[in-house]
Amino acid sequence: MNSNRNSAKKVIIIGGGVIGLGIGWQLAKMGCAVTIYERNRAGRAASWAAAGMLAPLSEVHFEEQELLQLGSMSLRLYPEWVEELEADSRMSVGYKTEGTLIVGIDRDDAQLLQHLYESQKLLDLRVEWMDGAAAREIEPLLSPKITAAISSEDDHQVDNRLMVKALITAYQKAGGTLFENIPVEKIELREGQAKGVWVKGALHDADVVVLAAGCWSNEIGGLPENVTPPIRPVKGQMLALKMESSVALQKVIRTPRAKYATDVYLVPKNNGRLVIGATSEEMGFDTQLTAGGLFELLRGAWEAVPGIYDLPILETWAGLRPGSRDNAPILGPTEVKNMIMATGHYRNGILLTPITAREISSLILTGKTSETIAPFQLSRFSQV
Ligand code: FAD
Ligand code: GLY
């Protein structure tokens, strides 16, 4: 990506998740003076809780064409993004390209799969329809009950926790400043312009302020109501099992949501963790794990891959996805000059990190909103 030196524009980013770090890294490389304020530890909120799947169509409706295009563009950026990030940080981000099998057990599942397959074909995605026996040839650990599957070669994954660590390192190596455990209290506005942020009772000036505070993005003071992003938290419960040599998946396995309360995915990581998720619950900021939530995940995962039954549990957790009113991200300029939004990435923030970083850093450097992010501006909510 672009590495030209640039005039030392002073940029403050609120929030040190993958979105804030990704933008900060790119801007710092281009010569901006970037400071990220993170109220806890950087990258330990949604960005840490995620499964790391890079799958534009899995959780987006076919009708959401602009979002699908954004996700597909970001997926295409991933190989270059990983190469640059790994080179800059000298760390692996666990990018895996083995692909995904979406599997169905009964007739309802098969119908959902058929619908998904047709949508994928219309989008020209590299997908293959197969029966249960063919799916088990590719992944012998699948249940004998599986009757149909879609193999999606282009749905990849990254280890999002490794990506967080690599982004922190690459950002700081590029000269970016990261303050952890320091919340931004308020954004300073004067004459319709963002002038900086208030931190520990003191004002810190900036030429540009970027709001990338995930599901807390509407809690920061100072913004008028029409420039406050409509963001809510959407809870996801998850768990990780320890794979053994006899139960070691290579591909991501997904089930559709035909029978049970939640669809389930199983995401094998290079370090032997098998991440299983996730519930999707409108519970405000609650992050309590529940017996029902974990039961649904384990039941769904066990039905697809019975061999997980004896695997040790490594970890359980819940994270909060930043969801906007229409579940698409909020990207770009606002009515307040020099106040940029990069939030609301909902279920696809890991996938959308490269495109967000590229487009928002370009906006800050050129002052131009690209066609790619134009449909995702905050102003779309006031036009309805
Ligand atoms: P966050 O990572 O939440 O970061 C925001 C940061 O802002 C936080 O660290 C917070 O502490 C900080 N902050 C808040 N207020 C302030 C303040 N006042 N001052 C300073 N800092 C502040 N996406 C995918 O693409 N693939 C997946 O497989 C996937 N799986 C997921 C599974 C689960 C269970 C969850 C919860 C999410 C998943 N996602 C996935 C979505 C993805 O994790 C998010 O969209 C993405 O992490 C959002 O990144 P972010 O930087 O905007 O938010
Ligand atoms: N993208 C996976 C999730 O949000 O659960």
Side-chain angles (χ1 to χ4, degrees):
M1 287 177 200
N2 191 349
S3 64
N4 291 342
R5 300 308 294 170
N6 233 286
S7 61
K9 214 169 218 181
K10 243 177 122 178
V11 181
I12 288 182
I13 299 176
I14 309 172
V18 285
I19 298 300
L21 289 166
I23 297 167
W25 171 48
Q26 288 299 303
L27 285 173
K29 284 187 82 165
M30 293 190 260
C32 292
V34 190
T35 302
I36 296 179
Y37 289 103
E38 164 54 52
R39 66 170 190 171
N40 291 318
R41 280 183 73 188
R44 297 295 169 130
S47 302
W48 197 255
M53 293 175 296
L54 310 174
L57 192 57
S58 292
E59 288 151 349
V60 173
H61 293 291
F62 183 67
E63 292 68 32
E64 298 171 280
Q65 278 292 322
E66 281 158 344
L67 185 51
L68 276 174
Q69 295 304 336
L70 192 75
S72 303
M73 281 173 79
S74 203
L75 182 67
R76 285 197 293 275
L77 292 181
Y78 244 95
E80 192 189 339
W81 167 267
V82 167
E83 198 183 331
E84 184 182 345
L85 183 54
E86 291 189 338
D88 281 17
S89 64
R90 295 179 179 275
M91 295 163 92
S92 163
V93 298
Y95 180 50
K96 279 165 68 77
T97 55
E98 283 86 348
T100 297
L101 278 176
I102 310 162
V103 300
I105 291 181
D106 55 23
R107 213 171 47 183
D108 290 348
D109 279 358
Q111 258 170 11
L112 273 178
L113 283 191
Q114 190 65 44
H115 178 69
L116 177 65
Y117 181 66
E118 281 156 19
S119 307
Q120 289 170 319
K121 278 299 206 192
L122 284 173
L123 285 169
D124 263 348
L125 298 179
R126 279 199 302 154
V127 284
E128 191 188 338
W129 180 269
M130 53 186 65
D131 63 16
R136 274 185 298 280
E137 249 173 58
I138 297 176
E139 184 43 84
L141 291 166
L142 286 177
S143 161
K145 289 192 203 151
I146 301 290
T147 54
I150 301 171
S151 170
S152 178
E153 289 304 312
D154 291 329
D155 282 353
H156 299 157
Q157 63 145 315
V158 71
D159 187 323
N160 44 293
R161 295 185 178 183
L162 294 181
M163 188 159 103
V164 159
K165 291 180 183 172
L167 277 171
I168 294 172
T169 303
Y171 167 68
Q172 290 180 320
K173 276 189 174 178
T177 304
L178 172 64
F179 289 113
E180 295 187 286
N181 303 307
I182 300 193
V184 167
E185 289 142 13
K186 193 178 154 194
I187 297 161
E188 171 74 1
L189 302 191
R190 255 175 278 144
E191 294 161 1
Q193 290 196 36
K195 291 289 187 185
V197 299
W198 287 86
V199 166
K200 291 188 171 171
L203 177 61
H204 297 261
D205 294 333
D207 300 316
V208 178
V209 176
V210 180
L211 182 54
C215 68
W216 298 274
S217 292
N218 61 4
E219 295 201 327
I220 293 145
L223 289 177
E225 209 182 312
N226 63 329
V227 186
T228 301
I231 296 291
R232 71 192 197 287
V234 181
K235 173 178 169 184
Q237 299 189 47
M238 303 267 278
L239 64 127
L241 305 180
K242 185 175 186 297
M243 289 190 289
E244 286 166 357
S245 51
S246 56
V247 189
L249 289 171
Q250 292 306 319
K251 287 176 179 279
V252 173
I253 308 292
R254 294 194 73 118
T255 67
R257 183 207 288 242
K259 226 177 351 177
Y260 299 127
T262 184
D263 53 328
V264 171
Y265 47 74
L266 300 92
V267 188
K269 300 293 174 189
N270 286 337
N271 60 3
R273 280 164 68 91
L274 180 62
V275 173
I276 298 177
T279 63
S280 179
E281 304 167 68
E282 303 279 352
M283 297 284 291
F285 288 96
D286 167 69
T287 51
Q288 182 88 52
L289 291 163
T290 63
L294 295 180
F295 171 73
E296 293 291 348
L297 296 179
L298 283 168
R299 174 169 65 176
W302 170 76
E303 279 208 338
V305 182
I308 64 159
Y309 195 85
D310 293 317
L311 297 184
I313 293 179
L314 289 175
E315 191 187 341
T316 53
W317 69 95
L320 299 173
R321 308 173 180 95
S324 74
R325 210 181 292 148
D326 60 8
N327 293 332
I330 303 176
L331 304 172
T334 63
E335 278 182 29
V336 170
K337 204 167 167 230
N338 300 329
M339 178 73 235
I340 308 280
M341 296 282 155
T343 186
H345 290 76
Y346 192 42
R347 301 196 76 160
N348 283 303
I350 307 299
L351 168 68
L352 294 173
T353 298
I355 195 91
T356 303
R358 187 182 81 176
E359 298 298 318
I360 296 293
S361 54
S362 158
L363 165 65
I364 289 169
L365 292 170
T366 65
K368 291 192 186 112
T369 306
S370 69
E371 280 181 18
T372 305
I373 58 166
F376 298 100
Q377 294 177 75
L378 179 67
S379 56
R380 72 183 184 271
F381 296 110
S382 45
Q383 287 159 4
V384 196

